[in-house]
Amino acid sequence: MSRLAFHHFPNPKRCFSEMARVLKTGGKLVVIDMEAAEEALRNTENEIETLRDPLACA
């Protein structure tokens, strides 16, 4: 499961492919994400998320 992370990955297709590769037969991959804000707001939103969970951005 990936929640609200894919928009941070530099190569999301590669991450998705690797997640799918390691699934057990019949396993399920769940991805939840959001649409990124306009460019002007992205840094502010990233700063807020870093304050909320600094280890997620380490």
Side-chain angles (χ1 to χ4, degrees):
M1 173 177 253
S2 172
R3 182 179 167 273
L4 303 175
F6 260 71
H7 65 277
H8 291 286
F9 300 157
N11 189 339
K13 287 182 181 180
R14 183 173 147 204
C15 294
F16 185 88
S17 294
E18 182 64 10
M19 290 174 171
R21 184 188 72 78
V22 300
L23 281 176
K24 292 181 179 181
T25 302
K28 295 181 181 178
L29 174 59
V30 178
V31 176
I32 301 169
D33 207 345
M34 61 186 162
E35 184 176 342
E38 295 294 322
E39 189 70 35
L41 295 176
R42 287 184 192 170
N43 287 338
T44 301
E45 287 185 346
N46 285 337
E47 288 174 15
I48 291 168
E49 287 300 310
T50 301
L51 290 171
R52 186 184 66 77
D53 187 2
L55 297 179
C57 297

